[in-house]
Amino acid sequence: MTGRPPWADISTMKTYSPKPDHIQRAWYVVDADGVVLGRLATEVATLLRGKHKPMFAPHMDTGDHVIVVNADKVALTGNKAKDKFAYRHSGYPGGITGVAYGDLIATRPKAAIERAVRGMLPKNSLGRQMLKKLHVVPGPEHPHAAQQPQVLALGARPAWEGLPAKPAVPEKPAKKAKVEEAAPAEETPAEKPAAKKTAAKKTTAKKTTAKPAAKKPAAAKKPAAAKKTTAAKKTTAKKTTAKKTTAKKTAAKKSEE
């Protein structure tokens, strides 16, 4: 065998995982008139889980909404109407009660169908979320006309329309327009003189504040210089008087001799 086998590049393949943006929920109407209960439950569970879509994933709820009409006319095979019971327990000893399916469908058809469908869904929070998309109506009319549901025959599969289209990416020339609009606003000649005036005002204010500060130190220095001169004069006068007294004393001594 020459060449690489066809499965050699399987490691480069990517596994698809559905994203919340890819999930689009449709509404379908299923008529239960004369349909066997088990057969109806399997088809409804398939639509609720989303197994009719190629994008199905067992860990996500990709299913659609299902409306079941004429629930009170569902059929049972054999002797199930008498032999099959729906049990419930209160939690206390001896608190078990059972109702035959024939009586349950006659009195509570919604509970009978929900009970059968719930048994075919996952037994966890995901299954409880799927069960909320089931809408059972005893009669032929339902209150969900605003959702525009499509009538779906039992066993039929709706056509796959593919994944939703990606949203369009906004264009970028809008930013360039903003820059071009802002550029002429900066070059307006009306704003430049205003800036010069403010600068001139600031310089004049600095000059006026600087002049008084220069005069104050000069006025403060003059009294200090005057004090020094007067002190110097006093000291020279004292020295001269001291010299005179010494000269007189010397003259007096000479005369005495």
Side-chain angles (χ1 to χ4, degrees):
M1 181 177 180
T2 58
R4 302 181 66 184
W7 59 85
D9 296 333
I10 195 170
S11 60
T12 60
M13 298 175 62
K14 294 182 179 180
T15 303
Y16 170 77
S17 180
K19 299 173 179 59
D21 298 339
H22 296 172
I23 299 173
Q24 292 181 339
R25 305 195 189 280
W27 287 70
Y28 300 104
V29 179
V30 178
D31 192 358
D33 187 6
V35 181
V36 179
L37 179 61
R39 178 69 172 170
L40 175 68
T42 55
E43 295 296 332
V44 171
T46 300
L47 297 174
L48 293 176
R49 292 194 66 186
K51 297 190 76 173
H52 60 289
K53 299 179 180 180
M55 59 178 291
F56 168 74
H59 65 285
M60 294 186 67
D61 182 11
T62 60
D64 300 326
H65 292 264
V66 180
I67 304 170
V68 179
V69 296
N70 294 323
D72 54 349
K73 298 179 181 179
V74 69
L76 293 172
T77 59
N79 294 328
K80 292 186 178 68
K82 297 179 180 179
D83 298 341
K84 186 176 177 64
F85 287 84
Y87 293 98
R88 61 178 297 273
H89 201 284
S90 64
Y92 292 94
I96 189 170
T97 55
V99 181
Y101 257 82
D103 299 335
L104 184 63
I105 293 174
T107 56
R108 298 166 58 201
K110 181 178 178 180
I113 293 177
E114 287 181 352
R115 191 183 183 92
V117 174
R118 185 172 65 245
M120 299 182 182
L121 295 177
K123 277 66 175 179
N124 49 24
S125 60
L126 185 63
R128 291 188 290 271
Q129 180 182 348
M130 294 175 180
L131 190 63
K132 292 180 180 179
K133 301 195 302 293
L134 175 63
H135 313 278
V136 183
V137 181
E141 297 180 358
H142 59 83
H144 304 287
Q147 282 71 29
Q148 298 179 357
Q150 302 176 9
V151 178
L152 191 66
L154 192 68
R157 294 289 180 267
W160 170 248
E161 297 179 357
L163 296 175
K166 294 182 180 180
V169 180
E171 297 180 357
K172 294 182 179 179
K175 293 184 179 179
K176 293 182 180 179
K178 291 182 180 179
V179 175
E180 292 175 1
E181 290 177 359
E186 294 177 1
E187 296 177 358
T188 53
E191 293 181 1
K192 290 182 180 179
K196 290 180 179 179
K197 288 181 180 179
T198 54
K201 288 181 179 179
K202 288 181 180 179
T203 53
T204 53
K206 288 181 180 179
K207 289 179 180 179
T208 53
T209 53
K211 285 180 180 179
K215 289 179 180 179
K216 285 180 181 178
K221 287 180 181 179
K222 286 182 180 178
K227 287 181 180 180
K228 288 181 180 179
T229 53
T230 52
K233 288 179 180 179
K234 288 180 180 180
T235 52
T236 52
K238 287 180 180 180
K239 288 180 180 180
T240 53
T241 51
K243 288 180 180 180
K244 288 180 181 180
T245 52
T246 52
K248 287 179 180 180
K249 287 181 180 179
T250 55
K253 287 182 180 180
K254 289 180 179 181
S255 62
E256 288 177 358
E257 291 177 355

